[in-house]
Amino acid sequence: MTILFYDLVGHDAKRPFSPHCWKTKMALAHKRLDATKVPTRFLEVPKVEGGASKTVPVIRDGERVVADSFAIALYLDEAYPERPTLFGGEGGKATARFIERWSQLTIHPYLMTVLLTDLHSMQDEANRAYFRESREQRLGKRLEEVVAGRDEGLAGFRASLEPLRSMLSYQPFIGGTSPLFADYIVFGALQWARVASPYQLLETGGGVAEWFERCLDLHGGIGRQVAAAA
């Protein structure tokens, strides 16, 4: 039975953008599992699988419904142990959890300041209104005010990637010689930016940019199937 995968999209269903859904998309490809994608917009999320989660990704695999990208990755490794591992053991799970926290607390906050208005523009009329109201309420200011500070924060953001940049001088992937779910966590964040905005986040030719290009090529180049924002 094919897995159902609820994937966040805007007005163009062919341009999925969620960093967390990209993690799941890469995890499914890594496990060589077929999935039927269900394009899902913000206002449709509460109806997914009868209200199974307040966010996507969500998958249905037979009778099992799983929400949250990390939980989905854990489930896929447990349910399909004969297929390529996403974690490589308990140590890999712990490492991936650290990478997830680092990404959420270091990468995502700056990316939000970069992407807000672009993400807003990607929505249809109803979802655009929802996105603006919910984000401005959360942030306490207009989207345009938040994005106005992105140039000022760029150098600091690039500097914050130095641990990743340094590590990649020793190995091609966070997972070592080949990618693991830890790679997909950081890839998802940068793919979010690539799909949503033409703003240049990464230094051209740097170790992180080269790693990102390698990730875009993985699994038949599924990351490149969605063109970069222009």
Side-chain angles (χ1 to χ4, degrees), residues 131-163:
F131 185 87
R132 178 176 288 278
E133 181 180 357
S134 61
R135 271 54 182 180
E136 290 184 349
Q137 184 177 38
R138 182 188 306 172
L139 297 166
K141 57 180 69 175
R142 288 180 56 78
L143 304 183
E144 292 77 8
E145 293 177 70
V146 177
V147 173
R150 66 184 183 180
D151 289 347
E152 183 179 348
L154 181 59
F157 169 74
R158 289 177 173 175
S160 75
L161 298 179
E162 184 56 36

Side-chain angles (χ1 to χ4, degrees), residues 52-72:
S53 175
K54 294 180 179 179
T55 61
V56 287
V58 172
I59 66 166
R60 171 178 281 281
D61 187 14
E63 296 301 311
R64 184 73 180 271
V65 174
V66 187
D68 177 79
S69 59
F70 205 103
I72 290 169

Side-chain angles (χ1 to χ4, degrees), residues 11 25-26 56 63 107 137 139 167 172 188-189 204 223:
H11 65 81
K25 194 187 311 286
M26 297 296 279
V56 287
E63 296 301 311
I107 298 178
Q137 184 177 38
L139 297 166
M167 187 210 66
T204 304

Side-chain angles (χ1 to χ4, degrees), residues 21-156:
C21 291
W22 273 104
K23 296 179 213 174
T24 295
K25 194 187 311 286
M26 297 296 279
L28 287 163
H30 183 105
K31 298 295 283 187
R32 301 171 190 166
L33 291 166
D34 293 329
T36 298
K37 297 170 190 172
V38 183
T40 307
R41 293 171 178 85
F42 281 113
L43 292 174
E44 297 167 337
V45 172
K47 303 172 187 175
V48 167
E49 293 294 338
S53 175
K54 294 180 179 179
T55 61
V56 287
V58 172
I59 66 166
R60 171 178 281 281
D61 187 14
E63 296 301 311
R64 184 73 180 271
V65 174
V66 187
D68 177 79
S69 59
F70 205 103
I72 290 169
L74 290 171
Y75 166 76
L76 293 176
D77 248 16
E78 292 166 3
Y80 300 95
E82 75 285 0
R83 295 174 182 263
T85 179
L86 284 163
F87 296 101
E90 291 301 314
K93 293 176 185 177
T95 298
R97 187 63 82 181
F98 169 79
I99 294 294
E100 180 200 46
R101 292 296 85 206
W102 175 74
S103 180
Q104 288 290 115
L105 297 174
T106 302
I107 298 178
H108 280 240
Y110 176 70
L111 293 191
M112 186 62 72
T113 71
V114 171
L115 304 178
L116 276 172
T117 52
D118 294 298
L119 291 168
H120 177 259
S121 297
M122 293 178 74
Q123 313 309 314
D124 61 23
E125 185 175 354
N127 283 277
R128 197 175 295 142
Y130 160 78
F131 185 87
R132 178 176 288 278
E133 181 180 357
S134 61
R135 271 54 182 180
E136 290 184 349
Q137 184 177 38
R138 182 188 306 172
L139 297 166
K141 57 180 69 175
R142 288 180 56 78
L143 304 183
E144 292 77 8
E145 293 177 70
V146 177
V147 173
R150 66 184 183 180
D151 289 347
E152 183 179 348
L154 181 59

